[in-house]
């Protein structure tokens, strides 16, 4: 039993570990246990009621045990050391290390924050930016990191953060797209930071420790040549140092970890030495002379004595400084004009904290590149028109300085705040240590930086502060001259600290890349997830070294610093965004132990990060954003299948809820109307889509960018047929992906397909975001008896869409429609505008033309004119209407003249009614058959009465009373008998035929000419219209003698004959005009109001569209969808 419980916990434990890097799923599934083992396992545990659900709902004791023993610690540096020192370490269970706040968070953050900028550029920043300007920069940067640390503390204490630090926090808070983009930016920032530290290390080595080691000599070179020599030295030595550091990291990270404390001790000792030196200047300033010619600072390497001449014995002897500016060493030599006009003086470089130099250094002194470093307050004689000669004798500015440049150079000195969260797996109590350690480290370093600004400005002269490389002070490190007891404490301390920081960057960056690669969100990086047998990221280290080499080749520390500032600022910005989003969305899982956060602070931190990005360098900021955007779109395009419960999904849900609530406020305006399509797909026995071209047409119609719901129906019960429904849903999704249809799939299970389709039409969509258009294919082979149910379902769909005021699109011959890969190079889309449907018939061809398949086609609009219509005026009005609609189309008005009903029409109607009768008999119940016999008897009696015309009128009166005077809700039996009884049918020769009244007192029947033209063509089912529009019914004898009709024609439903006649006429006109069209759009006639003529309705649609290849039948939804107004 103990062993079995252990195995069960192992399963849970393993599932949780996978959860750290893969899609979150239930970790409690253990399907391998048999029923017998299950009953034994839970026997005696009072769990009999829950035995069947133990696979998915484990006992609380098991769950708590697994959570208590859970460790998401990935193999970190400590395990790498064990793997290298002990071969059996891989087989042992890794015990979570025990590190407190000081060793685990505070000191690592201090080591990463304090670094090269403090020792090499801080004095120069104070000299150029002034005390006030530099303090503003330091305060902005430190405030940014403090606000970011608050946000990071909230995220880090909202659950366990595995190795990966900021990348893990951002990706799990903002999703894989943002996580991957920002993770790569953080990786690039860490990598370029390594390059910056290496360049700082080489600068200290070649300028302050061993200047003679330079391969490219700089003596005697001026301007660009001297700068190029320095940069080439940086490139050569930088590459050598980078190779050595990469080798150290590859051989074993244990060496880096062992030296980390040593490097940190060097940093702390150097800072203490500076503070000691500042205190010493208050009572014993060091002798630190600076030679000035006029007010220009001289390079100290060109002379030994700061004077033009000296008295040697009784003679005046010139010095090296004289020979540097004159053509000979004699007193009568020709000298530089500025040298002759100005005196040489010596000033104290470090006057001390009590000297009052602070007032002089209070404000900014920005300089142009190659401008001479000048001392304030010393008069100088200068000819404005004279050119500057001997520039190599003066200390020159190496770059043009301005405020935003200083921000970009300084910001890397406050990075490194993630060091604690990156080690969260090594901490004894990460929930407590990360906030306290990080905020304490930022507070300490901020105090150091802010105090340094005032102390440097109060102790050191401005010309010394602005002398970046110490050229005027014998090549000494400026901050080193301030230190006590010796400048070499600072020189060697800064050298080792930069070396250590570079090694830390080359150690951390590959592991960050490895974590991203193993998450699998960026496919082309997966190769970098592999490494040595002990987990060392070998391939990631190689890529990191190559990218770091790019920074080395740039060779200028001042140029590399803004680059890494961009990437770090972007990372910090998204940390703040993640915290703000989680706080504002109030997600149930957002319960940080760190309580001192607020969404406003996070938004302020995010705003500061964005501001600093553009302050540092607007073009670098744009490049960084473009890189992040490209990575984001790449991850989105590749479809990262990760569900991490991120905040972006949460904000999407909140935005969707808000938008849906707004949509509920009222129906959309006509200008905002777009087809929100519900596509009704039919499935075969294997749950595969039968007509995929329906989705091709949907994709081509989606220029309106509206909602698309692809629905399908499965017959059965939900409990028994859920697997089939899931399979059908997968088929729909796959086809939607192939056809590039953006939308949702929905599969409904019901006892019959008719109800399922009805449920889809009624319940599809949500709130105001519902479908307003239904797309369903015209049923194939509907005349076959086995397809009769599909025919009835189709008619019910037409009825329900009409009742629900939904538009209906019915493509016929859908298999002949083009796929998305086809292109029409020419052709027409013909619109037959018979009745006004709200403008949908006009809008559809416009939407189709937006798609590449139909783009080359032209639109032609046809409308029908009756005998009494002015076709010329109709054409003008239609062209004006299209002009206001901004539609380009050809217009043609087709005149339809009245004609006699042909014998073919009668035969066609007879065949249709006979077929309907057969189908009806196939589906009759016993009672219905009895009624049918009675109906046949009534027909026989009617035939006898027709032989005696005097009996006709009473019979007709009874019929009128039952159909017109009766209530709308007749008994089914009476309706069945009445509808099946043949009416007294008479034929119409033409509209102009004048009926003969049956008696002088009878009212004259309205002539057909009085009927509006639209009523003749609109093809809606109204049985009552037959009696008013057909005068022959009132006088059967008047037309009986026109010609001898066949006996079987007498019993035909006159309404059916008339509809068949109009369908044939209209079809003939359409075929004549549009047979070669690529697509014909046509008003769809309405369905029958009763259910006795459904088969006839399908026949009319068939006749109407006969001879046409592609037809799209359209029914409007009862509202206007286009407008001429802007």
């Amino acid at each position: 039993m103990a062993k079995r419980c252990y195995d069960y916990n192992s399963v849970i434990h393993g599932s949780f570990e996978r959860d750290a890097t893969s899609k979150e799923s239930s970790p409690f599934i253990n399907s391998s246990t048999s029923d017998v083992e299950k009953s034994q396992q839970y026997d005696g545990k009072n769990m009999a009621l829950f035995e069947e659900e133990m696979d998915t709902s484990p006992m609380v004791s098991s769950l708590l045990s697994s959570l208590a023993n859970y460790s998401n610690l990935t193999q970190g540096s400590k395990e790498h050391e064990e793997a290298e020192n002990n071969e059996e370490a891989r087989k042992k269970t890794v015990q979570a290390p025990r590190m407190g706040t000081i060793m685990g968070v505070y000191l690592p953050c201090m080591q990463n924050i304090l670094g090269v900028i403090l020792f090499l550029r801080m004095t120069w920043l104070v000299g150029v930016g002034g005390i006030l300007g530099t303090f503003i920069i330091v305060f902005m940067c430190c405030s940014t990191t403090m606000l970011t640390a608050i946000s990071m503390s909230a995220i880090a204490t909202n659950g366990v953060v595995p190795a990966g630090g900021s990348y893990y926090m951002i990706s799990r808070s903002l999703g894989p797209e943002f996580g991957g983009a920002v993770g790569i930016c953080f990786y690039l920032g860490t990598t370029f930071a390594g390059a910056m530290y290496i360049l700082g290390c080489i600068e200290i080595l070649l300028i302050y420790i061993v200047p003679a080691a330079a391969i490219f000599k700089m003596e005697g070179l001026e301007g660009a040549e001297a700068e190029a020599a320095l940069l080439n030295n940086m490139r050569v030595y930088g590459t050598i140092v980078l190779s050595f550091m990469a080798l150290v990291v590859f051989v074993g990270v244990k060496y880096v970890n062992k030296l980390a404390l040593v490097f940190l001790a060097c940093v702390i000792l150097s800072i203490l030495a500076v503070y000691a030196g500042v205190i010493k200047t208050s009572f014993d300033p060091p002798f630190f002379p600076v030679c000035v010619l006029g007010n220009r600072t001289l390079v100290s390497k060109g002379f030994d004595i700061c004077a033009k001449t000296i008295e040697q014995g009784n003679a005046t002897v010139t010095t090296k400084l004289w020979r540097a500016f004159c053509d000979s060493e004699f007193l009568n030599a020709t000298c530089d004009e500025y040298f002759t006009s100005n005196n040489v003086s010596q000033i104290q470089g470090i006057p001390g904290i009590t000297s009052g130099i602070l007032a002089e250094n209070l404000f900014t002194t920005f300089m142009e590149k190659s401008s001479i470093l000048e001392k304030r307050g010393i008069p100088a004689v200068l000819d404005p028109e004279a050119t500057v000669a001997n520039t190599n004798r003066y200390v020159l500015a190496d770059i043009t300085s301005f405020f935003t440049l200083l921000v970009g150079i300084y910001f890397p000195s406050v990075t490194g705040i993630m060091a604690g969260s990156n080690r969260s797996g090594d901490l004894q109590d990460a929930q407590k240590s990360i906030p306290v350690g990080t905020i304490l480290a930022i507070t300490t370093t901020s105090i150091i930086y802010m105090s340094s600004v005032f102390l440097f400005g109060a102790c050191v002269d401005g010309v010394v502060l602005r002398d970046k490389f110490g050229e005027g002070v014998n090549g000494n490190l400026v901050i080193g001259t301030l230190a006590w007891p010796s400048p070499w404490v600072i020189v060697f301390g800064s050298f080792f600290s930069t070396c250590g920081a570079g090694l830390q960057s080359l150690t951390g960056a590959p592991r960050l890349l490895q974590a991203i690669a193993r998450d699998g969100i960026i496919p082309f990086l997966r190769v970098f997830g592999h490494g040595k047998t002990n987990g060392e990221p070998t391939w990631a280290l190689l890529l990191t070294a190559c990218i770091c080499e790019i920074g080395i080749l740039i060779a200028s520390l001042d140029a590399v610093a803004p680059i890494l500032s961009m990437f770090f600022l972007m990372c910090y910005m998204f940390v703040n965004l993640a915290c703000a989003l989680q706080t504002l969305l109030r997600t149930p899982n957002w319960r940080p132990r760190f309580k001192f956060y607020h969404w406003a602070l996070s938004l302020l931190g995010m705003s500061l990060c964005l501001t600093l990005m553009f302050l540092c360098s607007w073009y670098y900021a744009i490049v960084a954003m473009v890189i992040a955007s490209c990575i984001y779109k790449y991850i989105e395009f590749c479809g990262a299948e990760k569900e991490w419960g991120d905040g972006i999904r949460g904000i999407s849900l909140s935005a969707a809820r808000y938008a849906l609530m707004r949509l509920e406020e009222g129906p959309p305006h006509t200008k905002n109307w777009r087809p929100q399509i519900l596509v009704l797909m039919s499935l075969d026995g294997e749950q595969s889509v039968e007509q995929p071209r329906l989705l091709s047409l949907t994709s081509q119609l989606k220029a309106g960018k509206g909602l698309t719901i692809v629905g399908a129906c499965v017959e059965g019960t939900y409990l028994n047929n859920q697997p089939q429904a899931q399979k059908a849903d997968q088929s729909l999704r796959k086809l939607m992906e192939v056809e590039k249809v953006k939308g949702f799939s929905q599969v409904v299970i019901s006892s019959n397909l008719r109800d399922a389709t009805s449920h889809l039409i009624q319940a599809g969509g949500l709130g105001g975001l519902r479908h307003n258009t239904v797309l369903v294919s015209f049923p194939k082979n509907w005349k076959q008896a086995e397809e009769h149910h599909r025919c009835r379902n189709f008619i019910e769909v037409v009825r329900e869409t009409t009742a629900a005021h939904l538009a209906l699109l019915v493509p016929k011959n859908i298999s002949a429609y083009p796929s998305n890969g086809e292109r029409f190079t020419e052709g027409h889309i013909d619109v037959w505008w018979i009745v006004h449907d709200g403008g949908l018939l006009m809008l559809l061809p416009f939407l189709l033309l937006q798609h590449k398949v139909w783009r080359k086609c032209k639109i032609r609009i046809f409308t029908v004119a009756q005998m009494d219509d002015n076709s010329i005026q109709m054409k003008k009005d239609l062209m004006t209407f299209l002009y206001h609609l901004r539609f380009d189309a050809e217009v043609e008005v087709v005149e339809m003249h009245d004609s006699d009903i042909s014998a073919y029409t009668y035969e066609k109607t007879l065949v249709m009614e006979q077929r309907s009768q057969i189908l009806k008999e196939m589906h009759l119940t016993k009672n219905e058959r009895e009624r049918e016999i009675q109906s046949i008897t009534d027909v026989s009696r009617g035939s006898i009465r027709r032989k005696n015309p005097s009996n006709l009128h009473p019979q007709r009166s009874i019929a009128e009373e039952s159909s017109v005077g009766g209530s709308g809700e007749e008994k089914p039996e009476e309706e069945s008998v009445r509808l099946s009884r043949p009416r007294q049918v008479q034929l119409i020769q033409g509209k102009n035929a004048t009926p003969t009244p049956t008696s002088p007192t009878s009212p004259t029947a309205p002539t057909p000419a009085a009927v509006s033209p639209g009523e003749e063509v609109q093809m809606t089912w109204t049985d009552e219209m037959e009696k008013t529009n057909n005068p022959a019914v009132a006088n059967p004898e008047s037309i009986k003698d026109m010609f001898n009709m066949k006996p079987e024609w007498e019993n035909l439903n006159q309404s059916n004959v008339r509809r068949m006649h109009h369908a044939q006429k209209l079809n003939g006109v359409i075929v004549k005009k549009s047979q070669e069209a690529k697509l014909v759009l046509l008003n769809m006639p309405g369905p029958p109001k009763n259910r006795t003529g459904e088969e006839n309705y399908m026949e009319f649609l068939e006749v109407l569209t006969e001879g046409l290849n592609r037809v799209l039948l359209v029914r409007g939804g009862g509202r206007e969808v286009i407008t001429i107004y802007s």
Side-chain angles (χ1 to χ4, degrees), residues 30 74 193 814 938 951:
N30 182 8
T74 56
I814 186 63
D938 292 342
N951 296 330

Side-chain angles (χ1 to χ4, degrees), residues 976-997:
S976 177
V977 173
R978 183 177 60 81
L979 291 175
S980 62
R981 181 185 299 119
R983 294 185 174 85
Q984 310 306 313
V985 179
Q986 300 297 333
L987 306 180
I988 304 173
Q989 170 137 15
K991 278 192 175 183
N992 298 326
T994 305
T996 303

